[in-house]
Amino acid sequence: MTLTNEVPPPAVAQAAPHRQPVPVWLYIIGAVGIIVAIAAVVTPGFLTPDNVRAILHTTAITGIVAVTMTPMTLSGNLGSLSTQQSSVLGAVLFATLVSRDWNVVTAALAVLVVVVAVSVAQGLVVAAGLNPIITTLAAGSVIAGSVAAASRTTSISFDGASTGWLAGSLLGVPASVFYFLAVTVVVTWLMRKTVLGRRVMLSGSNRETARLTGVPQGATVIWVFVILGVGCTLAGLIGSSQVGYANTLLFGSMTFDVIAAVVIGGTSIRGGYGSPLWSAGGALLMSVINNLLLLHGFPYGVRILIVGLLVVGSISALQLLPGRRAL
Amino acid sequence: MRALDLLRPYALQIGVLIVLWMAFTATTPMFGGRGTLYAVLQSFALLGLVSAGLAVTFICGEFDLSVASMAVLAAVVAVNTAGLGLIPALLLGTLVGAALGALQGGMIARLVINSLVFTIGSQIAIRGLAYVLSGNGPSSLNDLAVSDPLLLTWGPLSIDTIVAFVVFGLVGIFLAFSRTGRELYAVGGGRKEAIAAGVSIRRVTITAFTICGACAALAGAMAATKSGGISPDSYANLILTAPAAILVGGFRLEGGRGNIINVILGVAILSVLTVGLGGRGVPAYVVDLFVGSLLLVVVVGEFAIARWGSRIRPHRSFATQES
């Protein structure tokens, strides 16, 4: 009797290629997209170059901030309620420096340092474990109060001659659109292809697992706030350059527009699921809807009502996704 | 000594209130006396009522960010229906708030969703509705005589502050003595344990958001009819001051803690701060700066004490919500 110690070859589990389930939001966004397409065809003046340029122009600043806030949302830290105030800080500081004859590039770099530092300060508090909404809400009023006190709530004008690279246009397309595209590409790449991106996604989808597998929680949160700070800086620079002045009233509805864009784009506000690219799409979709309603003469109230309902719809739909409920 | 024991849980807030009052009395000549007391009590009608409602959601571990929008919506409803008379208009505004609050609570419970996340979205829609109903601009009372009863005063009290304190009393009794009130604390203190003990999360959540919506709505409706009109972009500040008031008063984001006395103390602290700074001619944005700083100090302080006290990893109630 011969004993064979031949072991049957192990059944190699065919590793299923990593695929995300077909997301419900895709159907919703698809349906909305079709509605928008039909509306676009029947709305005179929608597909004119001027109108398309106007849509892109209004999308750019909200879009930049929405895209750069998405990593924060993906990391499970909900969102920031101080994006408007941070962008105003950037705008007012930039206007002040440029009006005092600073070199534009030096001024822009100084603004970047300050706004990112303010963002990181909030990141440190959030990284310690505090609620991000409350932290950014309180920080927002501190930033707004400080900026208003420092600028005495006046408008600071500056000579726009040297800020063409921020507010000009290339081939008929506003510069802000190129910044929006660049930011979207860079942040999407950061989230998809870098270690930081993977850490952000893991922290957002399962904080405890992330901690146990050695993801540096604090550093991840702080990097996320650095990205947001860069976005608010860009918004401040571009926004103030476009109008040639800065005051505390700029970017009036930014804070909630940005959150709306991220959510409408389909990123789960509880983290771990979504993409900066989707937020760019969300911002664009919001602009298109706003523009359509505007062309049809709908007043401001109807427009925010519809945006609000879309946000509620997106949040609810994402919540009902299979497997997302247990988070 | 017994009275002192009763006051002990509120020692910090009472201390802050006394120090603030004395500091302003010493530094601001206009501060003190009946005029100041009247001004401080005035803010109980708007900020106080909104905070009381918000506090009910805080107790069960939820956070209604839509209170400012709710107050505006009810204000628009009340101002536009003032032709029916003052009380029907106020009731109608409050009913709208209660109904929308119940709807929100129902959806939050049904979707098992983080209420902070849900109300970030719904508050945009509710403000949009306020804009639509007000015709996208300020609306004012056609007949200013309708609001006359609200302008009556007795010493430092006026009708709206009296109404506010009656509501505080009702909410306080509800929280302390009713079955649902106790269940709110149970859910906030330990959600899983509450479910295991047979508490209906759905009923508790709907109750909390209904009360919150109704309080915010009543506050907005009274404030707007008293001032004779409403602009749909008003009250945006409440999104900062109402959570600040109750967190300063001793509530916690995690829920399960705080009662109506904490609300009153928190609102009183914010109100003294606002009135005192206003009396020194400090502009509104600087007041916001102080409120924001105070909120940060309180939240960071609470967090540090809790962490240092328990030495365990803190549970972040809003980032992760198990259910």
Side-chain angles (χ1 to χ4, degrees):
Chain A
M1 191 174 163
T2 54
L3 278 173
T4 58
N5 58 356
E6 240 176 84
V7 181
V12 178
Q14 202 66 46
H18 179 68
R19 267 179 59 193
Q20 289 188 323
V22 180
V24 171
W25 71 268
L26 205 63
Y27 297 117
I28 296 160
I29 296 290
V32 175
I34 292 167
I35 295 167
V36 168
I38 294 170
V41 172
V42 301
T43 307
F46 181 76
L47 282 177
T48 60
D50 278 346
N51 194 50
V52 171
R53 199 175 300 136
I55 291 175
L56 290 175
H57 183 74
T58 52
T59 313
I61 289 183
T62 311
I64 287 171
V65 181
V67 165
T68 51
M69 197 184 81
T70 310
M72 177 181 177
T73 309
L74 288 174
S75 73
N77 285 302
L78 306 173
S80 168
L81 288 187
S82 62
T83 50
Q84 187 252 345
Q85 290 85 347
S86 297
S87 304
V88 162
L89 167 68
V92 168
L93 187 60
F94 184 62
T96 310
L97 295 179
V98 173
S99 68
R100 290 186 184 168
D101 294 330
W102 277 48
N103 176 292
V104 176
V105 177
T106 324
L109 288 176
V111 171
L112 180 70
V113 170
V114 171
V115 175
V116 169
V118 168
S119 191
V120 166
Q122 297 171 58
L124 285 171
V125 178
V126 173
L130 268 89
N131 181 296
I133 294 283
I134 292 287
T135 306
T136 53
L137 180 70
S141 71
V142 174
I143 299 169
S146 311
V147 173
S151 70
R152 298 176 202 286
T153 64
T154 53
S155 281
I156 300 157
S157 315
F158 59 97
D159 178 19
S162 50
T163 55
W165 55 283
L166 285 169
S169 58
L170 185 67
L171 305 171
V173 181
S176 56
V177 175
F178 292 105
Y179 288 103
F180 175 37
L181 282 177
V183 165
T184 307
V185 170
V186 170
V187 180
T188 307
W189 173 79
L190 273 175
M191 286 303 108
R192 289 232 177 116
K193 301 286 181 196
T194 65
V195 175
L196 173 68
R198 305 316 302 170
R199 284 178 172 166
V200 166
M201 296 301 270
L202 183 55
S203 303
S205 50
N206 194 328
R207 191 177 296 270
E208 200 51 29
T209 309
R211 194 178 67 80
L212 291 171
T213 49
V215 169
Q217 301 273 290
T220 307
V221 173
I222 286 165
W223 274 112
V224 156
F225 274 87
V226 170
I227 297 172
L228 177 61
V230 174
C232 291
T233 306
L234 271 176
L237 297 180
I238 296 170
S240 58
S241 300
Q242 281 173 350
V243 290
Y245 66 86
N247 62 27
T248 48
L249 300 177
L250 281 179
F251 313 121
S253 62
M254 177 189 273
T255 299
F256 289 116
D257 281 352
V258 163
I259 291 179
V262 171
V263 171
I264 290 177
T267 294
S268 164
I269 201 154
R270 288 159 71 180
Y273 180 76
S275 156
L277 187 62
W278 298 359
S279 303
L284 189 62
L285 184 67
M286 258 172 65
S287 290
V288 169
I289 291 170
N290 258 325
N291 182 273
L292 278 173
L293 295 172
L294 195 66
L295 289 178
H296 281 284
F298 283 103
Y300 178 68
V302 175
R303 294 186 340 244
I304 39 176
L305 177 61
I306 288 179
V307 166
L309 290 176
L310 270 178
V311 173
V312 173
S314 300
I315 292 174
S316 309
L318 276 167
Q319 189 68 14
L320 294 175
L321 277 185
R324 300 299 300 167
R325 195 181 270 251
L327 270 188
Chain B
M1 287 316 285
R2 226 178 130 64
L4 274 181
D5 280 346
L6 281 177
L7 287 180
R8 181 161 301 165
Y10 314 108
L12 180 65
Q13 280 79 16
I14 293 174
V16 170
L17 194 56
I18 292 173
V19 169
L20 265 183
W21 187 278
M22 289 190 349
F24 278 122
T25 312
T27 57
T28 314
M30 304 282 288
F31 196 86
R34 244 184 62 186
T36 304
L37 191 61
Y38 178 78
V40 168
L41 286 175
Q42 271 306 296
S43 70
F44 276 84
L46 181 60
L47 175 63
L49 268 178
V50 173
S51 304
L54 188 60
V56 176
T57 62
F58 262 56
I59 289 172
C60 69
E62 306 285 348
F63 189 159
D64 186 354
L65 261 183
S66 70
V67 284
S69 300
M70 205 70 99
V72 171
L73 178 64
V76 171
V77 170
V79 167
N80 283 305
T81 56
L84 303 172
L86 179 63
I87 296 188
L90 292 182
L91 280 181
L92 207 58
T94 311
L95 266 181
V96 168
L100 270 178
L103 181 66
Q104 290 199 91
M107 289 187 73
I108 287 163
R110 176 85 181 75
L111 292 166
V112 200
I113 199 170
N114 182 328
S115 54
L116 192 53
V117 168
F118 187 86
T119 52
I120 276 184
S122 62
Q123 61 96 16
I124 302 176
I126 294 170
R127 194 170 287 269
L129 196 56
Y131 268 94
V132 171
L133 291 181
S134 69
N136 296 287
S139 35
S140 51
L141 292 177
N142 290 324
D143 176 14
L144 284 173
V146 170
S147 65
D148 280 354
L150 285 173
L151 301 172
L152 292 174
T153 57
W154 292 272
L157 291 171
S158 58
I159 294 265
D160 50 347
T161 47
I162 292 172
V163 170
F165 278 102
V166 169
V167 173
F168 289 171
L170 293 175
V171 171
I173 291 169
F174 164 76
L175 288 175
F177 300 113
S178 78
R179 184 191 162 95
T180 313
R182 304 316 299 168
E183 287 177 348
L184 280 168
Y185 285 96
V187 171
R191 204 177 170 87
K192 283 178 180 163
E193 291 81 350
I195 295 170
V199 175
S200 159
I201 299 286
R202 188 181 162 81
R203 191 166 56 86
V204 165
T205 312
I206 292 178
T207 310
F209 279 84
T210 308
I211 293 174
C212 184
C215 284
L218 176 62
M222 277 202 303
T225 40
K226 187 174 185 180
S227 64
I230 179 75
S231 164
D233 56 0
S234 315
Y235 305 150
N237 207 23
L238 282 173
I239 212 169
L240 170 72
T241 49
I246 54 182
L247 287 171
V248 167
F251 281 81
R252 281 173 59 182
L253 285 168
E254 289 78 26
R257 218 176 77 171
N259 59 31
I260 200 71
I261 311 281
N262 292 108
V263 178
I264 293 173
L265 286 171
V267 174
I269 290 172
L270 273 213
S271 181
V272 168
L273 188 67
T274 311
V275 170
L277 290 172
R280 297 177 60 86
V282 169
Y285 54 82
V286 178
V287 176
D288 278 358
L289 198 163
F290 274 93
V291 173
S293 313
L294 185 66
L295 179 55
L296 270 183
V297 168
V298 168
V299 178
V300 173
E302 280 269 1
F303 180 80
I305 291 168
R307 187 163 224 193
W308 177 70
S310 64
R311 298 254 173 203
I312 50 169
R313 255 193 105 66
H315 170 67
R316 296 178 49 168
S317 68
F318 287 103
T320 52
Q321 176 185 348
E322 72 273 57
S323 49

